[in-house]
mmCIF file of all heavy atoms in Angstrom:
data_model
loop_
_atom_site.group_PDB
_atom_site.id
_atom_site.type_symbol
_atom_site.label_atom_id
_atom_site.label_comp_id
_atom_site.label_asym_id
_atom_site.label_seq_id
_atom_site.Cartn_x
_atom_site.Cartn_y
_atom_site.Cartn_z
ATOM 1 N N TYR T 143 11.364 9.830 -9.081
ATOM 2 C CA TYR T 143 12.724 9.868 -8.563
ATOM 3 C C TYR T 143 13.638 8.832 -9.275
ATOM 4 O O TYR T 143 14.882 8.857 -9.129
ATOM 5 C CB TYR T 143 12.769 9.633 -7.064
ATOM 6 C CG TYR T 143 12.818 8.087 -6.671
ATOM 7 C CD1 TYR T 143 14.058 7.521 -6.333
ATOM 8 C CD2 TYR T 143 11.684 7.367 -6.711
ATOM 9 C CE1 TYR T 143 14.137 6.152 -6.012
ATOM 10 C CE2 TYR T 143 11.725 5.998 -6.342
ATOM 11 C CZ TYR T 143 12.951 5.433 -5.984
ATOM 12 O OH TYR T 143 13.059 4.122 -5.687
ATOM 13 N N GLY T 148 13.828 -1.527 -11.853
ATOM 14 C CA GLY T 148 14.337 -1.960 -10.531
ATOM 15 C C GLY T 148 14.256 -0.760 -9.562
ATOM 16 O O GLY T 148 13.464 0.190 -9.803
ATOM 17 N N GLY T 149 15.039 -0.829 -8.527
ATOM 18 C CA GLY T 149 14.990 0.249 -7.513
ATOM 19 C C GLY T 149 15.792 1.447 -7.928
ATOM 20 O O GLY T 149 16.440 1.518 -8.940
ATOM 21 N N GLY T 150 15.722 2.456 -7.083
ATOM 22 C CA GLY T 150 16.449 3.685 -7.323
ATOM 23 C C GLY T 150 17.369 4.073 -6.235
ATOM 24 O O GLY T 150 17.544 3.395 -5.252
ATOM 25 N N ASP T 151 17.947 5.281 -6.324
ATOM 26 C CA ASP T 151 18.828 5.783 -5.315
ATOM 27 C C ASP T 151 18.067 6.259 -4.061
ATOM 28 O O ASP T 151 17.120 7.003 -4.128
ATOM 29 C CB ASP T 151 19.541 7.046 -5.910
ATOM 30 C CG ASP T 151 20.478 7.660 -4.877
ATOM 31 O OD1 ASP T 151 21.575 7.110 -4.646
ATOM 32 O OD2 ASP T 151 20.132 8.697 -4.359
ATOM 33 N N PRO T 152 18.494 5.734 -2.880
ATOM 34 C CA PRO T 152 17.720 6.069 -1.648
ATOM 35 C C PRO T 152 17.771 7.561 -1.323
ATOM 36 O O PRO T 152 16.837 8.121 -0.745
ATOM 37 C CB PRO T 152 18.401 5.238 -0.554
ATOM 38 C CG PRO T 152 19.751 4.902 -1.085
ATOM 39 C CD PRO T 152 19.565 4.801 -2.609
ATOM 40 N N GLY T 153 18.830 8.315 -1.650
ATOM 41 C CA GLY T 153 18.860 9.710 -1.426
ATOM 42 C C GLY T 153 17.856 10.443 -2.280
ATOM 43 O O GLY T 153 17.232 11.405 -1.757
ATOM 44 N N GLN T 154 17.699 10.084 -3.531
ATOM 45 C CA GLN T 154 16.723 10.683 -4.413
ATOM 46 C C GLN T 154 15.341 10.367 -3.892
ATOM 47 O O GLN T 154 14.406 11.225 -3.974
ATOM 48 C CB GLN T 154 16.940 10.321 -5.831
ATOM 49 C CG GLN T 154 18.262 10.820 -6.415
ATOM 50 C CD GLN T 154 18.477 10.254 -7.858
ATOM 51 O OE1 GLN T 154 17.717 9.418 -8.295
ATOM 52 N NE2 GLN T 154 19.494 10.785 -8.483
ATOM 53 N N LEU T 155 15.137 9.155 -3.466
ATOM 54 C CA LEU T 155 13.814 8.773 -2.933
ATOM 55 C C LEU T 155 13.501 9.574 -1.690
ATOM 56 O O LEU T 155 12.364 10.028 -1.489
ATOM 57 C CB LEU T 155 13.823 7.319 -2.538
ATOM 58 C CG LEU T 155 12.573 6.725 -1.941
ATOM 59 C CD1 LEU T 155 11.320 7.066 -2.780
ATOM 60 C CD2 LEU T 155 12.678 5.183 -1.761
ATOM 61 N N ALA T 156 14.511 9.870 -0.819
ATOM 62 C CA ALA T 156 14.302 10.681 0.339
ATOM 63 C C ALA T 156 13.877 12.061 -0.033
ATOM 64 O O ALA T 156 12.981 12.635 0.552
ATOM 65 C CB ALA T 156 15.565 10.732 1.193
ATOM 66 N N VAL T 174 7.909 2.500 -6.398
ATOM 67 C CA VAL T 174 9.209 1.802 -6.751
ATOM 68 C C VAL T 174 10.155 2.012 -5.557
ATOM 69 O O VAL T 174 10.763 3.070 -5.402
ATOM 70 C CB VAL T 174 9.833 2.368 -8.041
ATOM 71 C CG1 VAL T 174 11.074 1.566 -8.348
ATOM 72 C CG2 VAL T 174 8.874 2.287 -9.145
ATOM 73 N N PRO T 175 10.302 1.013 -4.670
ATOM 74 C CA PRO T 175 11.221 1.156 -3.493
ATOM 75 C C PRO T 175 12.628 1.104 -3.942
ATOM 76 O O PRO T 175 12.977 0.720 -5.054
ATOM 77 C CB PRO T 175 10.824 0.008 -2.621
ATOM 78 C CG PRO T 175 10.371 -1.022 -3.521
ATOM 79 C CD PRO T 175 9.671 -0.250 -4.643
ATOM 80 N N ALA T 176 13.549 1.511 -3.004
ATOM 81 C CA ALA T 176 15.004 1.352 -3.234
ATOM 82 C C ALA T 176 15.473 0.080 -2.678
ATOM 83 O O ALA T 176 14.884 -0.560 -1.805
ATOM 84 C CB ALA T 176 15.708 2.550 -2.583
ATOM 85 N N ALA T 177 16.609 -0.360 -3.199
ATOM 86 C CA ALA T 177 17.225 -1.635 -2.758
ATOM 87 C C ALA T 177 18.180 -1.459 -1.617
ATOM 88 O O ALA T 177 18.723 -2.466 -1.121
ATOM 89 C CB ALA T 177 17.986 -2.355 -3.951
ATOM 90 N N SER T 178 18.397 -0.214 -1.213
ATOM 91 C CA SER T 178 19.316 0.031 -0.059
ATOM 92 C C SER T 178 18.775 1.225 0.758
ATOM 93 O O SER T 178 17.951 1.976 0.279
ATOM 94 C CB SER T 178 20.697 0.346 -0.549
ATOM 95 O OG SER T 178 20.761 1.510 -1.414
ATOM 96 N N ASP T 179 19.285 1.311 1.959
ATOM 97 C CA ASP T 179 18.856 2.373 2.870
ATOM 98 C C ASP T 179 19.826 3.492 2.882
ATOM 99 O O ASP T 179 20.964 3.358 2.390
ATOM 100 C CB ASP T 179 18.648 1.804 4.252
ATOM 101 C CG ASP T 179 17.782 2.630 5.141
ATOM 102 O OD1 ASP T 179 17.265 3.701 4.691
ATOM 103 O OD2 ASP T 179 17.592 2.341 6.347
ATOM 104 N N SER T 180 19.504 4.589 3.546
ATOM 105 C CA SER T 180 20.447 5.686 3.733
ATOM 106 C C SER T 180 19.934 6.552 4.906
ATOM 107 O O SER T 180 18.804 6.506 5.224
ATOM 108 C CB SER T 180 20.576 6.511 2.495
ATOM 109 O OG SER T 180 19.413 7.360 2.336
ATOM 110 N N PRO T 181 20.857 7.303 5.578
ATOM 111 C CA PRO T 181 20.442 8.173 6.648
ATOM 112 C C PRO T 181 19.406 9.160 6.202
ATOM 113 O O PRO T 181 18.392 9.499 6.916
ATOM 114 C CB PRO T 181 21.716 8.862 7.105
ATOM 115 C CG PRO T 181 22.770 7.909 6.729
ATOM 116 C CD PRO T 181 22.345 7.287 5.464
ATOM 117 N N ALA T 182 19.511 9.630 4.954
ATOM 118 C CA ALA T 182 18.543 10.669 4.427
ATOM 119 C C ALA T 182 17.168 9.995 4.312
ATOM 120 O O ALA T 182 16.119 10.593 4.592
ATOM 121 C CB ALA T 182 18.998 11.190 3.086
ATOM 122 N N LEU T 183 17.114 8.733 3.842
ATOM 123 C CA LEU T 183 15.834 8.035 3.656
ATOM 124 C C LEU T 183 15.152 7.798 4.949
ATOM 125 O O LEU T 183 13.981 8.048 5.163
ATOM 126 C CB LEU T 183 16.022 6.759 2.899
ATOM 127 C CG LEU T 183 14.815 5.923 2.534
ATOM 128 C CD1 LEU T 183 13.752 6.821 1.811
ATOM 129 C CD2 LEU T 183 15.107 4.748 1.666
ATOM 130 N N SER T 184 15.897 7.236 5.988
ATOM 131 C CA SER T 184 15.328 7.013 7.286
ATOM 132 C C SER T 184 14.876 8.294 7.946
ATOM 133 O O SER T 184 13.909 8.337 8.640
ATOM 134 C CB SER T 184 16.283 6.197 8.213
ATOM 135 O OG SER T 184 17.489 6.960 8.335
ATOM 136 N N GLN T 208 16.760 -10.397 -0.224
ATOM 137 C CA GLN T 208 16.607 -8.944 -0.595
ATOM 138 C C GLN T 208 15.694 -8.187 0.282
ATOM 139 O O GLN T 208 14.718 -8.737 0.834
ATOM 140 C CB GLN T 208 16.054 -8.908 -2.016
ATOM 141 C CG GLN T 208 17.012 -9.316 -3.145
ATOM 142 C CD GLN T 208 16.434 -9.148 -4.515
ATOM 143 O OE1 GLN T 208 15.251 -9.219 -4.698
ATOM 144 N NE2 GLN T 208 17.320 -8.931 -5.485
ATOM 145 N N THR T 209 16.014 -6.951 0.546
ATOM 146 C CA THR T 209 15.270 -6.095 1.408
ATOM 147 C C THR T 209 14.947 -4.777 0.710
ATOM 148 O O THR T 209 15.861 -4.196 0.078
ATOM 149 C CB THR T 209 15.971 -5.768 2.728
ATOM 150 O OG1 THR T 209 16.307 -7.028 3.382
ATOM 151 C CG2 THR T 209 15.133 -4.927 3.659
ATOM 152 N N SER T 210 13.730 -4.329 0.748
ATOM 153 C CA SER T 210 13.392 -3.073 0.098
ATOM 154 C C SER T 210 13.216 -1.945 1.146
ATOM 155 O O SER T 210 12.920 -2.203 2.350
ATOM 156 C CB SER T 210 11.960 -3.248 -0.582
ATOM 157 O OG SER T 210 11.945 -4.298 -1.475
ATOM 158 N N TYR T 211 13.559 -0.753 0.668
ATOM 159 C CA TYR T 211 13.495 0.452 1.544
ATOM 160 C C TYR T 211 12.702 1.543 0.878
ATOM 161 O O TYR T 211 12.789 1.697 -0.350
ATOM 162 C CB TYR T 211 14.938 0.917 1.866
ATOM 163 C CG TYR T 211 15.734 -0.076 2.687
ATOM 164 C CD1 TYR T 211 16.529 -1.032 2.084
ATOM 165 C CD2 TYR T 211 15.629 -0.099 4.064
ATOM 166 C CE1 TYR T 211 17.251 -1.973 2.828
ATOM 167 C CE2 TYR T 211 16.314 -1.033 4.829
ATOM 168 C CZ TYR T 211 17.155 -1.974 4.152
ATOM 169 O OH TYR T 211 17.879 -2.892 4.922
ATOM 170 N N PRO T 212 11.923 2.305 1.653
ATOM 171 C CA PRO T 212 11.829 2.307 3.098
ATOM 172 C C PRO T 212 10.957 1.234 3.686
ATOM 173 O O PRO T 212 10.455 1.327 4.827
ATOM 174 C CB PRO T 212 11.274 3.681 3.371
ATOM 175 C CG PRO T 212 10.376 3.955 2.258
ATOM 176 C CD PRO T 212 11.038 3.315 1.076
ATOM 177 N N THR T 213 10.625 0.150 2.896
ATOM 178 C CA THR T 213 9.660 -0.818 3.350
ATOM 179 C C THR T 213 10.012 -1.421 4.740
ATOM 180 O O THR T 213 9.118 -1.603 5.542
ATOM 181 C CB THR T 213 9.622 -1.996 2.297
ATOM 182 O OG1 THR T 213 9.490 -1.473 0.979
ATOM 183 C CG2 THR T 213 8.507 -2.971 2.565
ATOM 184 N N ALA T 214 11.288 -1.715 4.941
ATOM 185 C CA ALA T 214 11.698 -2.285 6.157
ATOM 186 C C ALA T 214 11.990 -1.321 7.275
ATOM 187 O O ALA T 214 12.353 -1.688 8.409
ATOM 188 C CB ALA T 214 12.986 -3.134 5.911
ATOM 189 N N THR T 215 11.819 -0.029 7.058
ATOM 190 C CA THR T 215 12.053 1.033 7.986
ATOM 191 C C THR T 215 10.900 1.102 8.982
ATOM 192 O O THR T 215 9.722 1.132 8.572
ATOM 193 C CB THR T 215 12.245 2.390 7.350
ATOM 194 O OG1 THR T 215 13.250 2.274 6.274
ATOM 195 C CG2 THR T 215 12.576 3.474 8.357
ATOM 196 N N GLU T 234 10.873 -11.527 -0.807
ATOM 197 C CA GLU T 234 11.186 -10.773 0.363
ATOM 198 C C GLU T 234 10.279 -11.155 1.544
ATOM 199 O O GLU T 234 9.091 -11.293 1.413
ATOM 200 C CB GLU T 234 11.162 -9.307 0.022
ATOM 201 C CG GLU T 234 11.570 -8.421 1.257
ATOM 202 C CD GLU T 234 11.606 -6.903 0.876
ATOM 203 O OE1 GLU T 234 11.618 -6.666 -0.336
ATOM 204 O OE2 GLU T 234 11.596 -6.075 1.777
#
Side-chain angles (χ1 to χ4, degrees):
Y143 87 99
D151 177 77
Q154 294 177 351
L155 178 52
V174 183
S178 59
D179 199 4
S180 73
L183 183 54
S184 58
Q208 288 183 331
T209 303
S210 303
Y211 295 93
T213 311
T215 305
E234 182 174 345

